[in-house]
Amino acid sequence: MRINVSQQLKAPIGSVRNYEVSEAVDVAGGSSLVQGEVKLIRTNRSILVKGRLNAEVEVTCSRCLSLFRCPLSVNIEEEYFPATDVVSGTSLPLPEEPGCFIIDEHHILDLTEAICQYVLLAIPMKPLCREGCAGLCPVCGHDLNQGPCGCLPRGQGSGRSKLDNLA
Ligand SMILES: [Zn+2]
Ligand SMILES: [Zn+2]
């Protein structure tokens, strides 16, 4: 999502503009629709972007391995620094901080990269398709969310299983 902020860069410090976000971004190997609202705030050196966004990302359940759409909600807060002075057109010194976001020489603030980073960070390390997902039977691989499979309950220890035979 690209926003031309040349007018806002000329506006007084503290001025605020609101933008609706509705954008498909590529995260975790799939396309994900991100929606919400962001506020752009002019500061003395930058434009601060703040907002809350909702997305749905397709992930694999860490227990039963089914694909499901995981709803995520992220709070964005990022500062964007202008590369060029909007009035004089001269280059501006950029902050030393690595990975900071730049408003390019055409005064375009590009939100997509930040959105992708925030959504990626919000994906759980071990996603579960539902609370208390029953997972797969360790013997036959049956999805226990769809009911029992008829295998006898087993204690500790490692007998041969059908999964071993398949390998
Ligand atoms: Zn699951
Ligand atoms: Zn089983």
Side-chain angles (χ1 to χ4, degrees):
M1 177 172 176
R2 295 158 61 81
I3 302 171
N4 188 319
V5 292
S6 58
Q7 291 309 310
Q8 198 178 6
L9 285 170
K10 293 175 194 158
I13 290 167
S15 62
V16 175
R17 304 210 174 166
N18 294 303
Y19 293 89
E20 291 256 322
V21 177
S22 180
E23 162 130 326
V25 295
D26 288 324
V27 278
S31 177
S32 161
L33 182 64
V34 179
Q35 288 178 302
E37 213 180 73
V38 290
K39 224 185 245 309
L40 270 54
I41 304 152
R42 173 75 166 118
T43 76
N44 59 343
R45 58 171 196 168
S46 68
I47 287 194
L48 179 65
V49 177
K50 282 176 104 166
R52 186 172 180 83
L53 302 174
N54 297 303
E56 272 199 8
V57 183
E58 193 162 75
V59 293
T60 305
C61 174
S62 60
R63 277 193 203 153
C64 71
L65 309 182
S66 67
L67 270 180
F68 69 100
R69 302 193 68 79
C70 176
L72 299 173
S73 167
V74 295
N75 285 313
I76 279 201
E77 184 167 339
E78 279 299 333
E79 218 175 342
Y80 282 75
F81 297 91
T84 308
D85 185 279
V86 70
V87 180
S88 67
T90 53
S91 294
L92 292 172
L94 292 170
E96 302 277 307
E97 302 146 45
C100 75
F101 290 101
I102 307 299
I103 300 166
D104 73 10
E105 68 273 22
H106 307 294
H107 316 299
I108 300 293
L109 185 158
D110 193 341
L111 273 180
T112 306
E113 178 62 26
I115 291 175
C116 283
Q117 288 184 12
Y118 275 81
V119 170
L120 261 181
L121 281 176
I123 298 174
M125 296 293 285
K126 294 197 164 185
L128 287 183
C129 64
R130 68 197 84 184
E131 219 181 307
C133 166
L136 301 178
C137 168
V139 179
C140 72
H142 175 81
D143 183 352
L144 297 174
N145 294 308
Q146 292 165 12
C149 57
C151 293
L152 291 171
R154 298 175 347 137
Q156 302 283 319
S158 58
R160 283 178 68 81
S161 72
K162 260 194 202 166
L163 284 180
D164 292 332
N165 293 333
L166 288 173

